[in-house]
Amino acid sequence: MKAFALAFAATALVACASSPTVKTDHDPNANFASFKTYSWAQKPQGASPLVLQRIVDGIDTRLRARGLTEAPNGDIALVANIANSQRQTLDTFYTGTGMGGWGWRGGWGGGMGMASSTTTVRTYDVGTLVVDMFDARTKQAVWRGSASGTVPSSTAQVNAAVEAGLDKLFADFPPGSAAAR
């Protein structure tokens, strides 16, 4: 039972750590109910072609689920961009206490002892997807969403991260729809 609880806690911790950071914004004056179709003005570039296709397919699927249809000259023009950057973190591990034993100034256990630390630099990739929507008729921005997170090392994890990011990104699209559910 203890092993199960530990495994569950570790899985929950990993899931929280890899959850994408999502931000959305929209024009409060935009009438999202009037938008019935969309078209791609610019599909994302700059990553694996397979990952890019999964992102496009994922966005298409979520928009269709919300009643929009892709059309050559849609009511909404979509622009998607991907940015990748490398970040670093320092992991420091300490061994020993440096106290030597109990006591004060040479009392029992002798005074100061030896301690050491090891610092490791860890480099990781962060990917960000930005999706902008424009009213095709007025050319005005009506919605923006961004999802950012650590890029996993395996293909299966990348695919899961793309799905999680898109789910979170479109959770409240069109704006105000989450409150109505």
Side-chain angles (χ1 to χ4, degrees), residues 4-180:
F4 174 75
L6 185 59
F8 178 77
T11 302
L13 185 61
V14 168
C16 290
S18 62
S19 180
T21 301
V22 170
K23 296 177 184 175
T24 60
D25 192 11
H26 70 280
D27 178 355
N29 297 318
N31 181 5
F32 284 90
S34 70
F35 300 133
K36 305 295 182 202
T37 59
Y38 72 94
S39 59
W40 283 95
Q42 178 182 316
K43 292 184 179 182
Q45 300 172 1
S48 157
L50 295 171
V51 172
L52 295 175
Q53 189 57 49
R54 288 180 189 112
I55 291 170
V56 170
D57 290 346
I59 292 171
D60 288 340
T61 298
R62 283 154 183 86
L63 292 177
R64 281 193 304 269
R66 283 151 181 85
L68 293 169
T69 305
E70 186 173 5
N73 295 307
D75 302 326
I76 295 174
L78 294 179
V79 175
N81 290 292
I82 293 177
N84 290 311
S85 62
Q86 283 194 335
R87 304 229 177 115
Q88 293 183 329
T89 185
L90 300 175
D91 296 326
T92 303
F93 299 97
Y94 299 94
T95 58
T97 62
M99 298 304 288
W102 298 97
W104 181 257
R105 293 186 186 241
W108 184 87
M112 299 305 285
M114 295 299 293
S116 66
S117 65
T118 304
T119 301
T120 305
V121 177
R122 187 173 63 90
T123 302
Y124 60 97
D125 292 321
V126 174
T128 302
L129 169 67
V130 178
V131 180
D132 289 308
M133 295 183 185
F134 298 89
D135 182 325
R137 187 179 50 79
T138 65
K139 309 289 190 252
Q140 296 297 308
V142 293
W143 187 87
R144 170 173 263 206
S146 66
S148 183
T150 302
V151 178
S153 57
S154 79
T155 303
Q157 290 173 326
V158 168
N159 294 339
V162 165
E163 288 299 314
L166 291 175
D167 283 345
K168 204 169 174 182
L169 190 64
F170 288 96
D172 188 26
F173 183 83
S177 63

